[in-house]
Amino acid sequence: MEPYLSIVVPVYNEESNLAPLMERLYPAARSTGRSFEIIFTNDGSRDRSLEILKAMAQDYPEVRVIEFNGNFGQHMAILAAFEMCSGQIVITLDADLQNPPEEISRLVAEIESGHDVVGTIRQKRQDSIFRKLASRIVNITTNKMTGMEMNDYGCMLRAYHRNVIENINRCGESTTFIPALAQTFAANPSEIEVGHSERAAGESKYSLYRLIRLNFDLMTGFSVVPLQLFALFGILTSLFSLAFGLFLLVRRFIVGSEVEGVFTLFAILFFFIGIIIMGIGIVGEYVGRIYQEVRKRPRYVVRRTYGFE
Ligand code: UDP
Ligand code: MG
């Protein structure tokens, strides 16, 4: 029998969080009164996570485990579970207990009242200042660039209707950001406020470098606005330097040629060089992405699965 609810959890080196998570997640899922499955994707953990998950798959008939062949990232882990889940309502949450599993029933109710994507806004967010700032930048740029309206893209405690999942599964992109992708397919999205706690154990898997990568995924994966902005900026700067050249010409006739201004010119030159390098970088980002897509490599490799019949 197909479960009605699919709960999807990406796991990367979370050995000390899995047991406490299950202790709260399982009763929370049961209390919805619906049939459910819990799909864990082991994203190449190097600790004991996989053994713990395998044991859970044996103990609980509702638990399924997808074992990745390496570390393919949180979003790939969720996408793999999306392709293998069968529920009418699909819920994603983190394994580190930052998202309270007790909120699941509210998410389910929200979907059942007719929404197809339910996002969450973290109340009293328990993260470092640095992490919060990064999220703010993500939220603002994403909304500006995609023309979508969402308050908190970063919170992974979310619910999706089957229709949205089907559409996500049809996208074969190898770099993506699931909340933004889902938003482009949502006909009737909504957001609710949920609690947020500190990471129960272990440390965040997102370093500064990974956060920057994620931001690039968001910016270039969903719009070509960065390219257009850059072109616009190029036009403006060339207009400006044309005016500046005219000014120097006129000045030459009136005051005579300037020599002391050489360093000012250097400064201006460096400014433009900086812009050019940045532009090449942005273009390169797109080219790189095209390269990744045309290669058509598999996005992730599943080594084994447990608990799926
Ligand atoms: N995660 C993953 N693969 C990765 C990085 C993270 O599956 O390469 C999982 C991780 O186990 C956790 C979730 O994604 O369940 C969110 O990660 P984390 O809590 O480190 O991110 P943060 O809360 O700092 O945004
Ligand atoms: Mg976390």
Side-chain angles (χ1 to χ4, degrees), residues 80-247:
F82 278 1
E83 285 188 12
M84 304 196 65
C85 72
S86 43
Q88 285 304 306
I89 299 178
V90 180
I91 291 178
T92 58
L93 85 163
D94 286 352
D96 57 1
L97 280 169
Q98 289 195 286
N99 310 133
E102 291 73 24
E103 307 276 7
I104 288 177
S105 55
R106 285 178 58 214
L107 287 168
V108 172
E110 194 73 2
I111 293 267
E112 284 176 344
S113 73
H115 296 286
D116 49 5
V117 172
V118 182
T120 49
I121 307 169
R122 289 170 278 199
Q123 275 176 321
K124 299 207 202 74
R125 189 166 166 197
Q126 306 287 323
D127 269 322
S128 66
I129 302 243
F130 155 72
R131 197 71 188 70
K132 280 193 222 172
L133 190 73
S135 291
R136 268 199 74 83
I137 298 174
V138 172
N139 292 337
I140 293 171
T141 48
T142 317
N143 279 338
K144 282 266 179 310
M145 298 214 172
T146 56
M148 304 187 282
E149 277 298 328
M150 219 197 300
N151 286 308
D152 194 349
Y153 281 88
C155 188
M156 287 315 267
L157 179 60
R158 290 170 167 272
Y160 307 93
H161 188 267
R162 182 88 230 158
N163 294 342
V164 175
I165 297 292
E166 299 285 345
N167 280 321
I168 291 177
N169 286 344
R170 282 163 56 198
C171 304
E173 290 159 67
S174 49
T175 48
T176 195
F177 190 79
I178 292 164
L181 187 63
Q183 200 69 0
T184 60
F185 295 123
N188 186 11
S190 96
E191 282 183 315
I192 61 172
E193 295 210 335
V194 295
H196 189 249
S197 21
E198 275 183 59
R199 189 171 234 291
E203 52 189 30
S204 173
K205 309 296 181 288
Y206 282 98
S207 60
L208 177 62
Y209 173 71
R210 290 190 92 171
L211 275 178
I212 294 174
R213 297 261 2 122
L214 201 66
N215 260 304
F216 262 111
D217 282 355
L218 253 175
M219 263 167 32
T220 56
F222 290 91
S223 78
V224 287
V225 173
L227 280 178
Q228 291 159 347
L229 278 183
F230 181 62
L232 204 71
F233 205 67
I235 295 170
L236 284 181
T237 43
S238 44
L239 280 180
F240 176 74
S241 38
L242 188 73
F244 189 56
L246 283 176
F247 164 76

Side-chain angles (χ1 to χ4, degrees), residues 11-30:
V11 176
Y12 180 52
N13 296 343
E14 304 278 7
E15 57 181 1
S16 40
N17 290 327
L18 289 173
L21 172 73
M22 202 54 180
E23 242 160 62
R24 285 171 58 188
L25 179 59
Y26 196 74
R30 288 204 69 136

